[in-house]
Every structure is written in C-alpha cells, then in structure tokens.
Amino acid sequence: VSTQSTGSSSVAMSFQNKKAWEERYASAAASGQDLFEWYCPFDTVARHVEDFVKVQKDTPDYKVLVIGCGISAFSADLADFGCKDILSIDYSASAIAIQKKRNARSGLKFEVGDVRDMKNTVHLDDNTFDAVFAKGTIDALLCAERANSNINAGMKEINRVLKPGGKFTCISYATEEERSTYFKDLGDLEPFTTVGFPRPSIKHPGGLEEIPENMLYMHVYSKK
C-alpha cells in the first residue's frame, strides 16, 4: 500500500480507502490531468492482445469489460483497436467523471463499480462478457487490507460475468507462478498463456533490460 500526500497529512492508498482514490483523481481533475497510465500503455500489449486474446474487431455483439480503468486510455485504445462495446468500471467516481468527459463517444461506457460485487454495484448478469481486462487492478487488490478476501471476491465476480469461452487478461508485475496461486481454485478459469515483456521507460526509449525487476506480465485465462 502506497501513500499520497494530502497537505499536512497523508492518506493510505488502499483499495479499501475510497477517500484516497477519490482525492487522487479529484486532484488530477483540478490540475487538468485527464490521463495516467499504470504500468504500460495499450500499444505495449496490442500485439499480444491480437495474438492471444483474439478480440473480435468491428463486431457489435462482442462485449468487453475493463475493471479498474482509472484515468487510463486503455479502454479508448481498445475502442480504436476495433472493439465496439466496452464497459469500464472503477471504484472512484472522480475517475469515472474524467473518463466520461474525455470519451464521449459511442461504444464506450464508464460506470462506478466495485469488482468485488459487480452484481449489485453495476448490475452485471452472469455470462455477459467475451473479454475482461484488468491492468494493475489485481495487484491493487492484493496490496490492500484483507487481500485474500478481496481477490477471492473479485475473481469470483470476473469468472461469473465472463462468458464460457471468454478470455480474462490480467496485466501485472507478478509472474505466472505468483498470480496462479490466486486464480487456480476458480474452477472455470484455465490458464491460456503468459507473456512477459519489459515495462516502458521514458528514460530508456530503446527498452529496458529484460531482468526480473523490469518485467511486466500479461496473463491470459480462458473460461471453460
């Protein structure tokens, strides 16, 4: 759990601490910041999404869910990639307000929701989505208090809303061995592939060295 300065005090940046997330994104809006990417932009993983998730482009009934969207351009980039029906959710109302203002176009929807209880917070039915993306969201769940409870609830909900044959994609700093511990008991989700790649760096435009501390991973799971 990291901290964010808020004047004379600091607020713990925890998934459980809604106030901290609200303050983070409200501050971003006040300063004119409407974009921030955790880990990597979409173009870093676009080829892997093409090869392994195999999203169906220009198909209106192919439904995509992005959980923990923050103020990333990931959802908009998926739309530019060809996805026609994308719902993105985040715990922070301030983040969702920024997204709605920046992305007022057909096929992109943003709603405040809790991945641990999508049935009641965003009223999502079972077996609704062909693809679910989580960029950094699983890591955030695991960095919070009651991590095991959070991740179990979140993964059960992801499994519930994903259609049979659909793909769940988790972009994380953790290896497959580390993340599979939390995914293996879900029954319907099976490992499809994991791709490792060095994280982008402004200071090293040619690419960082492929050593453990520089790596990100895209874990793809398929629902039976």
Side-chain angles (χ1 to χ4, degrees):
V1 179
S2 62
T3 61
Q4 177 182 346
S5 174
T6 57
S8 60
S9 63
S10 79
V11 179
M13 288 299 295
S14 163
F15 184 82
Q16 292 284 3
N17 193 329
K18 186 174 183 178
K19 180 181 178 182
W21 287 109
E22 285 297 314
E23 289 185 357
R24 179 187 180 91
Y25 290 121
S27 176
S31 68
Q33 181 188 23
D34 66 352
L35 176 66
F36 182 83
E37 293 291 354
W38 296 98
Y39 292 0
C40 64
F42 177 78
D43 61 8
T44 305
V45 297
R47 176 171 56 88
H48 304 315
V49 171
E50 180 92 60
D51 292 345
F52 302 117
V53 183
K54 297 188 183 299
V55 296
Q56 295 180 21
K57 301 178 181 180
D58 302 314
T59 305
D61 60 354
Y62 183 85
K63 297 183 179 298
V64 175
L65 174 65
V66 178
I67 59 172
C69 63
I71 56 173
S72 165
F74 195 88
S75 301
D77 290 338
L78 277 170
D80 293 339
F81 198 61
C83 296
K84 296 299 183 184
D85 189 342
I86 304 167
L87 171 64
S88 303
I89 69 171
D90 198 276
Y91 192 56
S92 166
S94 296
I96 294 301
I98 292 171
Q99 290 280 20
K100 285 182 174 180
K101 183 177 180 180
R102 194 180 71 223
N103 295 295
R105 54 170 157 154
S106 175
L108 273 175
K109 300 181 290 294
F110 296 90
E111 296 185 22
V112 177
D114 188 334
V115 65
R116 299 167 300 177
D117 187 11
M118 293 185 285
K119 189 167 190 174
N120 291 308
T121 59
V122 272
H123 311 295
L124 300 184
D125 293 330
D126 298 357
N127 306 318
T128 297
F129 295 94
D130 299 279
V132 177
F133 289 90
K135 181 162 74 85
T137 308
I138 300 303
D139 296 347
L141 286 168
L142 288 168
C143 287
E145 297 173 0
R146 300 197 296 274
N148 286 338
S149 174
N150 284 335
I151 197 64
N152 288 338
M155 290 306 303
K156 284 179 181 177
E157 278 290 86
I158 290 167
N159 185 52
R160 181 182 67 81
V161 302
L162 192 63
K163 292 179 181 177
K167 298 283 179 61
F168 165 57
T169 301
C170 166
I171 299 172
S172 170
Y173 64 78
T175 65
E176 193 276 334
E177 182 179 6
E178 292 171 303
R179 282 295 163 265
S180 65
T181 301
Y182 300 97
F183 301 160
K184 66 182 180 181
D185 296 326
L186 289 168
D188 291 339
L189 285 179
E190 298 181 319
F192 183 77
T193 193
T194 290
V195 181
F197 52 93
R199 57 183 171 80
S201 170
I202 295 174
K203 294 181 179 179
H204 300 87
L208 291 169
E209 183 181 358
E210 292 193 22
I211 55 178
E213 57 264 36
N214 292 339
M215 299 298 287
L216 293 172
Y217 300 89
M218 190 179 95
H219 310 291
V220 182
Y221 280 69
S222 180
K223 183 174 177 179
K224 292 187 289 188

